[in-house]
Amino acid sequence: MTNPFRGEKEVKLGNKTYKTRLTVDSLIRLEQTTGQSLIKLTQRLSEGSLTLSDIASIITPAIRGGGADIKEDEVIKIIYQSGVADGIRVCGELLANVLAGGQEDDEKKEIEAP
């Protein structure tokens, strides 16, 4: 089960569903790896100018953050087999989830407290 308050999301890539989570650390590494801000990556996604490497760079840490031990070359193979359009869709879901934001578990408890 995913916890949207922690930025967790289930995504379907190919014929498998993955639990994903992009942490603050993974987002910082993503920006450093790609040389692009999250907003710029989202803009490039909407323009259709993300490379396969960019797509894998977004999806891999998200799947790892969800608890799966997976390598980037495995993710590239899954994207290729399921279709690049499927990978682009998953990237869109992940980036939208990050941009929408979430709350940490402690904040959730405060909100629920009477």
Side-chain angles (χ1 to χ4, degrees), residues 27 30-41 44 54:
L27 292 171
L30 175 61
E31 288 181 331
Q32 291 172 342
T33 300
T34 62
Q36 304 283 312
S37 70
L38 294 173
I39 300 297
K40 188 67 173 174
L41 285 170
R44 288 182 54 218
D54 291 332

Side-chain angles (χ1 to χ4, degrees), residues 56-108:
S57 293
I58 294 167
I59 295 174
T60 303
I63 293 174
R64 285 182 187 155
D69 183 22
I70 194 165
K71 296 181 179 172
E72 190 165 309
D73 61 336
E74 294 174 79
V75 172
I76 291 171
K77 184 183 268 187
I78 293 167
I79 293 167
Y80 178 75
Q81 290 171 344
S82 64
V84 176
D86 205 22
I88 292 169
R89 177 192 49 78
V90 169
C91 280
E93 291 177 18
L94 293 170
L95 290 172
N97 196 42
V98 168
L99 294 176
Q103 301 167 347
E104 294 297 324
D105 287 336
D106 291 341
E107 292 176 13
K108 179 183 174 191

